[in-house]
Amino acid sequence: MSAIPERRVLYVIACGGRPAAELPRFVARAQDLGWDVCVIATPSGLKFIDAAALAEQTSHPVRSGYKQPDEPDVLPPADAFVIAPATFNTINKLAAGISDTLALGLLNEGLGGGKPIIAVPFPNQALARHPAFVANVAALRSWGLELIFDSDLASLPAPAQDNPGGAAFPWTELVEALRLVS
């Protein structure tokens, strides 16, 4: 009798952006691909998600803050990471090795541990042209992160746009990239 293989664990990092509200559909697609999904939100990301609904959907609590050192870890260790949406702030901090949030701490450990990371940056058009962001996207790619980010910035929200929505967010491309993670 062979053992049932354990499902691989995917940490979905939700940053502060309107597309984060659409995470339940992505989580369902990732689960259909066989992933055990855990959601970690940045403090700003919490404003855009329904943490209780995502916890019910994934059977794991949504984490945002660091646990106390003597508390047990409530999430299984990650095999891969997705950052959707990845904000200007998160991309720049990740490239600088800053771990001032749980999400960044986990991503930095994943990067250092050679785990697959797929990021979908979604800054506004002006921030996407910022020299630090451009350099950091290139650096992260050179370190092995897969970034789903088109240099044609027309699909990104304009600065100060009242309702950028999530229609331009590349969920389909993200699912396809996740399908290829081994």
Side-chain angles (χ1 to χ4, degrees):
M1 180 185 244
S2 63
I4 298 172
E6 288 191 34
R7 292 172 53 179
R8 295 180 300 162
V9 176
L10 177 68
Y11 280 12
V12 175
I13 308 296
C15 298
R18 292 183 194 279
E22 300 173 27
L23 275 179
R25 284 185 292 215
F26 172 73
V27 167
R29 299 282 305 274
Q31 289 170 323
D32 289 346
L33 293 174
W35 290 96
D36 181 8
V37 179
C38 302
V39 176
I40 295 91
T42 65
S44 293
L46 285 174
K47 299 173 189 174
F48 293 89
I49 65 170
D50 181 340
L54 284 166
E56 185 174 328
Q57 183 180 6
T58 64
S59 300
H60 297 290
V62 172
R63 297 271 319 273
S64 180
Y66 284 104
K67 67 177 186 63
Q68 293 297 319
D70 58 340
E71 291 177 343
D73 223 343
V74 295
L75 301 179
D79 294 303
F81 295 83
V82 161
I83 316 168
T87 59
F88 175 83
N89 196 41
T90 295
I91 290 295
N92 290 326
K93 285 184 173 186
L94 181 58
I98 296 171
S99 291
D100 63 349
T101 65
L102 174 62
L104 282 162
L106 293 169
L107 287 167
N108 278 307
E109 287 178 357
L111 180 58
K115 303 284 184 180
I117 300 174
I118 305 168
V120 188
F122 200 67
N124 70 38
Q125 294 170 10
L127 291 175
R129 288 190 287 271
H130 189 284
F133 181 81
V134 172
N136 288 331
V137 164
L140 292 171
R141 280 186 170 140
S142 75
W143 299 341
L145 272 74
E146 181 171 353
L147 277 85
I148 299 172
F149 185 69
D150 191 346
S151 59
D152 174 13
L153 306 180
S155 64
L156 297 174
Q161 190 171 342
D162 288 339
N163 186 9
F169 196 80
W171 291 110
T172 301
E173 292 88 339
L174 178 56
V175 170
E176 290 308 311
L178 183 59
R179 189 183 310 276
L180 300 175
V181 171
S182 54

